[in-house]
Amino acid sequence: MRQVVALRSNSNKPVVYRCSIEGFEDTLYAENGLQLYLYLESTIMGTVDFVFGNAQAMFQKFSLLVRRPPEDKHNVLTAQAATTPVVSPASPSTCAPSKRAPGVNLDGVETFLGRPYRNLSHVAFISSFLGRVVSARGWVPWDKNHEVEETTRTVQYREFGNVGPGAKTEARVSWLGFQRLRGRQLHGGRLRRRQDWVPEQIKYDHAAPPEPEPQPPMPPRAA
């Protein structure tokens, strides 16, 4: 299956609520890094980079369902494309069950949480269920067979409070830009503090918990 965008979002402060966004490669294009996005109680289905773009987006009560990619390909849930640093690395966050789509055979297919579409890519998985489809390494370079050292230092990839067989972090990448977070609950920066634009009919927790305590990155594993 080739690239076909199912939804491209470039508006300011949209709320996508109780929707199913289905595709394969590049399913959701959350485009504009200057805007805020909120996705609630919805489902995205895809294969390679099926949530991508430079949006400051939060996904809550959300499901990311993985399909089988083309032969000899691997799945990637996110491809965030930031080109400028962010104040809070947690601004784009995903709180979503991540598992295979119903009836899909993923034998022999690796699935990663994300890869850097740009050098300052930033993604956080928070209080999510990560299914056994998620690779133990968690994250992958843009070119799986060619790791760019600079990019491993400039990305901001975070995991906090996740559960499920894919949530174990012992074998995660040893990149300087990857952190396991501990202590207090992670929040979504200005996304969580500026939600007055969410309609009252939609149940959403506006409260912003305090910042988490970051753990130092793991030292590189011996070859």
Side-chain angles (χ1 to χ4, degrees), residues 139 187 193 199:
W139 309 86
H187 74 80
R193 291 193 291 269

Side-chain angles (χ1 to χ4, degrees), residues 19 24-25 37 43 48-50 54 57-58 93 95 104 118 128 132 150-151 155 163 177 189 196 211 214-215 220-221:
C19 294
F24 286 85
E25 181 177 353
Y37 299 75
T43 298
V48 182
D49 305 337
F50 63 95
N54 190 21
M58 179 172 285
S93 59
C95 303
V104 172
R118 296 289 186 269
S128 301
R132 65 181 70 255
E150 178 186 359
T151 303
V155 297
V163 297
D196 53 332
E211 291 279 3
Q215 286 182 303
R221 292 188 294 273

Side-chain angles (χ1 to χ4, degrees), residues 26-133:
D26 295 352
T27 304
L28 170 62
Y29 186 10
E31 182 176 4
N32 195 328
L34 299 178
Q35 315 297 1
L36 305 179
Y37 299 75
L38 181 63
Y39 298 84
L40 290 172
E41 298 183 29
S42 297
T43 298
I44 299 180
M45 191 178 299
T47 57
V48 182
D49 305 337
F50 63 95
V51 178
F52 76 107
N54 190 21
Q56 297 191 60
M58 179 172 285
F59 301 79
Q60 287 197 337
K61 298 180 181 178
F62 214 88
S63 293
L64 299 173
L65 301 183
V66 183
R67 287 176 151 169
R68 189 170 185 87
E71 198 67 27
D72 298 324
K73 298 290 185 180
H74 55 276
N75 286 324
V76 185
L77 303 184
T78 67
Q80 212 278 336
T83 56
T84 57
V86 290
V87 175
S88 167
S91 290
S93 59
T94 303
C95 303
S98 304
K99 54 189 178 182
R100 66 181 177 86
V104 172
N105 179 4
L106 292 177
D107 290 347
V109 176
E110 289 185 291
T111 297
F112 298 93
L113 298 175
R115 64 175 180 168
Y117 193 12
R118 296 289 186 269
N119 280 2
L120 297 176
S121 177
H122 47 271
V123 177
F125 278 80
I126 309 161
S127 302
S128 301
F129 175 85
L130 303 182
R132 65 181 70 255
V133 299

